[in-house]
Every structure is written in C-alpha cells, then in structure tokens.
Amino acid sequence: MPTFTALTTLEGKDNAERLGEAMENLDPVPTGVGVFEIEDGSGLWEIGGYFTQAPDDTALAVLAVAFGAKPFAVSELPDVDWVAKVKRELTPVQAGRFFVYGSHDADQVPEDCEPLLIEAAMAFGTGHHGTTLGCLNALDRLAGEGFVGQNLADIGCGTAVLAMAAARVWPNTVMASDIDQVAVDVAVANVKANDLDGRVECVEAPGFDHADLLAKAPFDLVFANILKAPLVMLAPDMGKHIAPAGHAILSGILNEQADEVVAAYADAGFEIHTREEIGEWTTLTLTRA
C-alpha cells in the first residue's frame, strides 16, 4: 500500500496546532497528523500528514495560504519493510558496561556486560542515537565513580532503556514515566522482555506530575532524555524533586543549545558534573548543589 506525506513549516505553536487540526478534515483523510517544534532555535514548527492516497494538492495549497505556512511538500514513500531494514542496519551498541541489542543479535551478547534487549522496531531509544548513548555513558561514569543510586526516575522514558540500565546497576526500583501512553506500553513490554518486571515501574505522566512520582521524591538521580524546550521548562521541578547532592542526566540537546540548558539549571541550583558531546548532541550530568 503506498504512503504519501505532506509536510510544511510555519511560526508559532498555536497556529501550527490549528493547521494540524484543519488537516484532519481533508479528503482523503490523513491516517495521521503530527505537529513538532523544530529544535534549531528558528521558532518554526513542522506539520506533517500521512496518507494512503495522494492528498489533494489544491486543498493543501489553500490551507498553506490560510495559515501563512510554506507550500506543502508532497512525497510518496517507497514500500519498505522498515523493521527488516532496521534489523539489518542497527548493530549492537556498547556503552561502558551496557550492551544494547535486538533479539536478532542475541548470539553476540558478551558475558561481562549488562545486557539490554531493545527490539529493532523500537527505533527511538535503541542506544544508537547520540543522546541515548551519551546518557548510558554518563550513568556508567557515575557508577564507576562510586555513586550508588537509591531513588531513581526516568522522565520521558521512551523505550525505558535508561531506567532499565539503572535497574541493572542498582537493586532499587526505578520510576519511568512518559507523556505518551503508547511509549509507556512500549516501556512495559521492554521491562518484561528484560526480566525487570517489578524493578521498573512505568506510568503515564507529564514531567513529575503523577502521584507515584511525587510520593517517591526527592530522587537522587533523574534521567531526562527529551528536548531542549521541555528540559528548560522542567528545570524548576528538577530543583524541587532532586535531593541535595543528587544528579540529573539530561540529553536531547543540540550542542549549540547546551549553554542555555546549563543556565536554566544553574538558576534551579545545579552545577555541571560532566558534559559530553557525541556528534551534534550534548549530554549533561548535573549535580544539585
């Protein structure tokens, strides 16, 4: 079955969301519409729709003019078995003591490692992205320095790879939360696949806004591998919910955005412990003073 995409950009969150809502009324109806902030400091938002039939070019042109967006770029995607493609291209990743792999590479797991099984279909959070790799490296460094995590949380957990990594190192239960219930379901499945059921508790929540998270605060280590804007917004809550001398491992930050994130967390009472760049991404380990 063919898949078509229609993509455009414009300024402003509210305008972008209204355009996304308007796209849902198109004929043919899109199978999905996404609205995302472009994290490059431009202030632009990307709006995209997916279709199983070629979208109406005239209707898209009218929407673009009505909302002040750029003309839509329409493309037909090739018919690709993406899971098979990912399995071919995603090789296991070693990050310190951690070995992240898919079941198709189970025969390559070394004996002297902390194995983390993430299936190839779970593309975000497999360990291949510089943000996830940076967080795993940061966790490995903290543990190597003698830090012992007692009360831990993974905010915006995605596949829960970071929460599971922490559970492999320390015996305590790790809280994992995500704003998206689909991500929470994926996290739960991964936790079970790694025999960590009961060691990682997964909940749907924006930030720390969940009774179970609030009951367990303050934390001595919190992961947040998301994006710059929500990281900056979370800074005051991080200051409230991380114990003195506790750590935050943050990523999803472009290198040129790192200083802005550091400044926001300095205002919330944090100082830099380590800072690592992998490709275009920065991972920060911060300590609450």
Side-chain angles (χ1 to χ4, degrees):
M1 179 181 294
T3 300
F4 297 85
T5 62
L7 302 173
T8 186
T9 57
L10 54 70
E11 293 185 358
K13 178 182 179 181
D14 292 343
N15 210 23
E17 290 178 343
R18 285 196 294 270
L19 175 53
E21 291 173 1
M23 287 184 68
E24 294 176 356
N25 297 317
L26 288 170
D27 184 17
V29 178
T31 57
V33 174
V35 179
F36 306 98
E37 183 179 12
I38 300 175
E39 288 284 332
D40 61 359
S42 66
L44 292 175
W45 288 69
E46 181 178 78
I47 304 90
Y50 292 84
F51 301 80
T52 55
Q53 303 176 52
D56 186 330
D57 289 338
T58 301
L60 289 174
V62 169
L63 285 179
V65 171
F67 287 89
K70 289 186 177 181
F72 278 88
V74 178
S75 304
E76 182 176 0
L77 299 181
D79 189 10
V80 175
D81 183 342
W82 290 106
V83 173
K85 178 179 173 63
V86 169
K87 284 183 176 180
R88 288 194 301 270
E89 296 183 357
L90 289 190
T91 56
V93 170
Q94 187 93 39
R97 72 193 69 193
F98 304 107
F99 187 84
V100 186
Y101 69 101
S103 58
H104 57 291
D105 286 318
D107 60 339
Q108 298 186 43
V109 179
E111 292 184 3
D112 56 342
C113 74
E114 295 292 350
L116 296 166
L117 170 62
I118 304 291
E119 289 297 358
M122 315 302 183
F124 185 78
T126 59
H128 293 77
H129 198 275
T131 60
T132 309
L133 181 58
C135 289
L136 290 171
N137 286 341
L139 170 58
D140 185 63
R141 277 194 299 269
L142 274 182
E145 292 167 3
F147 173 79
V148 178
Q150 301 289 335
N151 196 15
L152 310 112
D154 183 2
I155 304 297
C157 64
T159 62
V161 63
L162 301 177
M164 293 190 299
R168 290 279 192 215
V169 177
W170 300 300
N172 311 80
T173 299
V174 183
M175 292 295 303
S177 72
D178 201 286
I179 197 170
D180 179 20
Q181 184 59 49
V182 173
V184 175
D185 294 341
V186 167
V188 169
N190 284 330
V191 168
K192 291 180 179 178
N194 283 272
D195 296 323
L196 289 170
D197 209 8
R199 296 286 319 288
V200 178
E201 181 181 345
C202 304
V203 299
E204 180 185 0
F208 292 92
D209 191 13
H210 191 282
D212 292 350
L213 284 163
L214 296 174
K216 293 194 175 183
F219 299 96
D220 52 9
L221 175 60
V222 174
F223 302 97
N225 180 16
I226 40 181
L227 291 170
K228 183 208 75 174
L231 283 175
V232 170
M233 291 177 62
L234 270 175
D237 278 348
M238 287 282 198
K240 294 177 184 176
H241 299 307
I242 293 180
H247 300 287
I249 295 177
L250 312 178
S251 200
I253 309 163
L254 291 169
N255 295 335
E256 60 268 23
Q257 298 171 340
D259 289 342
E260 184 178 347
V261 176
V262 169
Y265 279 77
D267 290 342
F270 291 86
E271 56 191 25
I272 295 177
H273 182 76
T274 60
R275 176 172 178 165
E276 180 183 15
E277 292 185 3
I278 299 178
E280 61 183 338
W281 300 98
T282 292
T283 298
L284 300 169
T285 303
L286 306 176
T287 304
R288 187 178 165 211

